[in-house]
């Protein structure tokens, strides 16, 4: 027979876990948007004077590196061959916690509680790092880029 209190507690844990997953996914989406912005700006540096072009190229390189480091808190680096697993990556931790929680039929045991707590802590730590990056270095990058004067049409001399 189903114990309503235990079932209700389990549903609450699912909801709490889902909120953590959403927070992690939202932060990753913001990183992907930042990566796309940097990639777009890499293609626009042709419209700058040499000094400004060098500055933008340097800024883009640094931002790309920082964004990739944060993305790699979630997943393995791109381009690896074969099956690569790392239980310390956030996506792996979320998957493990989901498996533990999904295997419960009645109440959440101590092992599952530990996994959920560790995963929640990892999500919190990662989201804080992403927010600090977006509000710090990336915001500074945005200000610097916005201050540059782009000439999107390359000046061409008339041929004689």
């Amino acid at each position: 027979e189903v114990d309503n209190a235990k079932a209700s507690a389990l549903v609450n844990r699912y909801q709490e876990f889902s909120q953590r997953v959403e927070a992690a996914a939202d932060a990753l989406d913001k990183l992907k948007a930042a990566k796309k912005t940097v990639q777009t700006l890499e293609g626009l540096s042709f419209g700058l004077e040499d000094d400004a072009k060098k500055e933008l190229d340097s800024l883009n390189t640094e931002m790309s590196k920082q964004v990739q480091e944060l993305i790699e808190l979630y997943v393995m680096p791109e381009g690896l061959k074969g099956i690569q697993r790392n239980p310390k990556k956030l996506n792996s931790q979320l998957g493990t916690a989901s498996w533990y929680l999904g295997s419960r039929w009645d109440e959440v045991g101590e092992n599952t509680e530990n996994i959920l707590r560790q995963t929640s802590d990892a999500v919190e730590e990662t989201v804080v790092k992403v927010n600090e990056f977006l509000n710090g270095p990336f915001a500074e990058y945005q200000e610097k880029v916005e201050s540059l004067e782009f000439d999107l049409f390359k000046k061409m001399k008339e041929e004689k």
Side-chain angles (χ1 to χ4, degrees):
E1 193 171 310
V2 175
D3 182 336
N4 287 339
K6 289 180 181 179
S8 179
L10 186 60
V11 168
N12 288 338
R13 293 303 284 148
Y14 270 108
Q15 290 171 340
E16 291 169 12
F17 180 70
S18 293
Q19 290 174 348
R20 302 312 304 149
V21 171
E22 285 180 35
D26 288 347
L28 182 58
D29 287 344
K30 290 175 184 173
L31 287 174
K32 288 178 179 179
K35 182 177 180 176
K36 191 169 207 134
T37 298
V38 173
Q39 289 171 336
T40 299
L41 289 168
E42 286 172 347
L44 294 177
S45 66
F46 71 86
L48 295 169
E49 298 295 323
D50 286 343
D51 289 342
K53 181 183 182 330
K54 286 179 186 174
E55 180 183 3
L56 181 59
D57 289 344
S58 175
L59 289 170
N60 287 338
T61 299
E62 182 59 29
M63 280 302 105
S64 289
K65 179 181 164 196
Q66 289 184 39
V67 167
Q68 192 58 39
E69 286 173 359
L70 288 168
I71 288 173
E72 288 177 10
L73 294 174
Y74 286 85
V75 296
M76 298 292 289
E78 293 177 9
L80 297 177
K81 297 190 183 229
I83 297 172
Q84 303 286 328
R85 291 188 178 93
N86 184 341
K88 294 183 181 189
K89 299 295 180 184
L90 189 58
N91 280 1
S92 294
Q93 291 176 326
L94 289 168
T96 300
S98 178
W99 182 86
Y100 268 82
L101 190 57
S103 68
R104 309 306 329 159
W105 287 98
D106 49 9
E107 62 186 324
V108 176
E110 188 177 332
N111 287 341
T112 303
E113 281 295 342
N114 286 336
I115 292 290
L116 291 172
R117 183 182 35 74
Q118 291 169 2
T119 302
S120 182
D121 291 349
V123 168
E124 182 65 26
E125 183 180 318
T126 302
V127 169
V128 165
K129 286 180 181 179
V130 171
N131 288 336
E132 287 174 349
F133 167 74
L134 293 173
N135 295 325
F138 195 76
E140 293 168 15
Y141 166 75
Q142 182 177 350
E143 282 182 32
K144 288 178 183 175
V145 170
E146 288 173 345
S147 72
L148 297 173
E149 293 184 26
F150 283 90
D151 184 1
L152 297 177
F153 294 94
K154 196 145 181 105
K155 293 186 176 29
M156 293 181 247
K157 295 180 182 174
E158 186 176 308
E159 294 298 320
K160 297 183 182 192

